[in-house]
């Protein structure tokens, strides 16, 4: 991810090397190249516009610095603005003050929710928590089984519907799981919900009903970073239909151009909280905007 964007930005900055002071024409030319690089990386147009305007304003107003030459100064400005559009500070999970913390996952089918549920469970276990995974995706025939297999891999129990107990009723399963967590003293409940291939009203309603039933502390929107511009459209649809507190980007290990990752926080106003970058259960961590910016500008 981001290889092309990284290369293009590096080329742009190379042209500034050795310059004693940047003229307005230098800054304009640099901003034009940054704009093209971002658009080619699939970053959404409004985000590109704001980003380039901010760079231009700051670069023109930059004081002559002892510590940084003009080229380095531009790199620093781009770095700061990248961190800002990626959400600034790392946003950590908020835990419930009493009773189990309920985390609900929402997103399209194939986004990586079921895989992510298990990764998050393992991550929480490593933080000393005692999570319970909940199979409330009853749409996809294999989803319950997949969660059970993944739960076993990470050593976390899975609450799944059984005959006579919530079969066909994802809202009931989700509600019952919170009671189960209280009984068995789990401190975090991770509810995996159903997705469809595209956004549809029924899916949204089901997710909203589950949300109302479990009153989550955090709703996380899970999105495949490989789907490019569509990610932004889907993110907005879920924001309107279900609402969420944070975003999880999956498949960051892919070779997509990365624009989704760069656009989503800015356009939705919701922070990217976690990133998933591979098929292994440990390929998962908090999302750090500053590290991502450094990676792009490396
Ligand atoms: P769901 O329909 O949202 O529950 O999605 P799944 O968890 O079933 O994931 C869909 C596919 O994406 C599966 O083949 C996963 O192995 C794969 N997958 C999930 N997360 C990642 C990731 O971070 N990187 C890669 N390369 N593949 C992933």
């Amino acid at each position: 991810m981001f290889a092309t964007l990284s290369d293009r930005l590096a080329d742009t900055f190379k042209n500034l090397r050795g310059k004693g002071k940047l003229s307005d024409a230098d800054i304009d030319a640099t901003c034009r190249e940054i704009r093209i690089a971002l658009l080619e990386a699939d970053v959404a147009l409004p985000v590109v516009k704001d980003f380039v305007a901010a760079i231009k304003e700051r670069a023109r107003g930059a004081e002559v610095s002892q510590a940084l030459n003009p080229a380095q100064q531009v790199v620093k400005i781009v770095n700061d603005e990248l961190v800002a559009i990626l959400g600034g500070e790392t946003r950590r999970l908020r835990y419930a003050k009493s009773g189990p913390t309920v985390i609900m996952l929402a997103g399209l089918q194939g986004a990586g929710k079921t895989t992510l549920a298990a990764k998050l469970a393992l991550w929480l276990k490593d933080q000393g928590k005692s999570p319970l995974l909940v199979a409330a995706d009853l749409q996809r025939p294999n989803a319950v089984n997949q969660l059970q297999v993944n739960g076993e891999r990470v050593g976390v129990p899975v609450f799944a519907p059984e005959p006579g107990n919530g079969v066909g009723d994802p809202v009931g399963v989700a509600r019952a799981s919170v009671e189960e967590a209280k009984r068995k003293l789990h401190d975090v409940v991770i509810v995996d919900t159903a997705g469809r291939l595209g956004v549809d009203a029924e899916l949204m309603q089901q997710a909203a009903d589950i949300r109302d039933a479990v009153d989550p502390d955090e709703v996380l929107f899970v999105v495949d970073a490989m789907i490019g511009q569509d990610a932004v459209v889907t993110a907005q649809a879920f924001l309107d239909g279900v609402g969420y507190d944070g975003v999880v980007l999956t498949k960051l290990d892919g070779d997509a151009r990365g624009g989704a990752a760069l656009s989503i926080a800015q356009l939705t106003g919701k922070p990217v909280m976690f990133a998933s970058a591979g098929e292994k259960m440990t390929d998962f961590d908090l999302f750090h905007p500053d590290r991502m910016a450094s990676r792009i500008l490396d």
Side-chain angles (χ1 to χ4, degrees):
M1 179 101 37
F2 295 125
T4 319
L5 178 61
S6 272
D7 290 349
R8 292 213 51 147
L9 290 177
D11 285 346
T12 303
F13 300 140
K14 219 181 279 167
N15 294 334
L16 295 176
R17 253 190 242 151
K19 287 195 190 272
K21 183 176 179 339
L22 299 187
S23 64
D24 284 356
D26 290 329
I27 292 171
D28 288 352
T30 303
C31 285
R32 254 196 315 277
E33 286 178 39
I34 293 174
R35 179 189 163 87
I36 294 169
L38 292 171
L39 288 173
E40 282 185 353
D42 260 352
V43 180
L45 185 59
V47 176
V48 175
K49 281 189 173 159
D50 288 352
F51 186 85
V52 172
I55 305 283
K56 190 175 279 189
E57 193 186 318
R58 285 190 56 189
R60 285 191 170 184
E63 300 285 326
V64 177
S65 155
Q66 299 289 333
L68 301 175
N69 64 39
Q72 288 166 331
Q73 233 169 354
V74 171
V75 175
K76 179 173 182 317
I77 292 170
V78 172
N79 180 78
D80 292 350
E81 293 298 324
L82 273 177
V83 173
I85 65 165
L86 288 167
E89 299 273 306
T90 301
R91 158 74 154 77
R92 286 162 202 280
L93 271 180
R94 279 183 306 230
Y95 295 103
K97 292 208 174 63
S98 65
T101 298
V102 179
I103 301 172
M104 173 178 158
L105 307 179
L108 292 183
Q109 186 173 317
K113 279 187 307 303
T114 305
T115 310
L116 176 100
K119 288 179 173 181
L120 177 61
L122 177 62
W123 185 85
L124 287 164
K125 220 174 92 171
D126 288 345
Q127 315 265 317
K129 302 283 181 196
S130 166
L132 176 68
L133 283 162
V134 182
D137 176 357
L138 309 184
Q139 221 77 36
R140 195 157 56 86
N142 198 35
V144 173
N145 180 255
Q146 191 190 336
L147 191 64
Q148 282 166 330
V149 169
N150 283 338
E152 223 158 90
R153 277 171 73 190
V154 297
V156 171
V158 175
F159 185 79
E162 288 163 9
N165 165 20
V167 173
D169 173 16
V171 179
V173 171
R175 192 182 290 116
S177 73
V178 179
E179 292 311 311
E180 168 89 350
K182 286 181 187 160
R183 265 197 308 277
K184 302 248 173 93
L185 301 179
H186 291 287
D187 47 14
V188 186
V189 181
I190 303 168
V191 184
D192 185 22
T193 66
R196 299 275 162 79
L197 291 174
V199 171
D200 74 41
E202 203 189 327
L203 156 80
M204 289 296 172
Q205 192 55 50
Q206 185 185 95
D209 289 346
I210 292 176
R211 180 200 64 207
D212 292 346
V214 300
D215 189 19
D217 298 283
E218 300 273 22
V219 179
L220 302 182
F221 169 64
V222 183
V223 63
D224 178 346
M226 307 265 281
I227 65 175
Q229 295 273 0
D230 278 354
V232 172
V233 178
T234 310
Q236 191 58 49
F238 272 84
L239 197 57
D240 297 340
V242 188
Y244 49 82
D245 305 290
V247 177
V248 183
L249 293 172
T250 65
K251 310 190 195 178
L252 281 180
D253 51 315
D255 59 1
R257 288 174 284 183
L262 286 175
S263 311
I264 271 188
Q266 187 76 358
L267 286 180
T268 61
K270 300 294 175 188
V272 178
M273 289 173 60
F274 292 99
S276 171
E279 305 238 21
K280 285 207 299 290
M281 286 294 139
T282 47
D283 293 331
F284 172 80
D285 204 353
L286 281 170
F287 182 78
H288 298 285
D290 51 346
R291 289 189 208 164
M292 179 63 91
S294 307
R295 235 180 74 194
I296 295 170
L297 295 178
D298 203 5

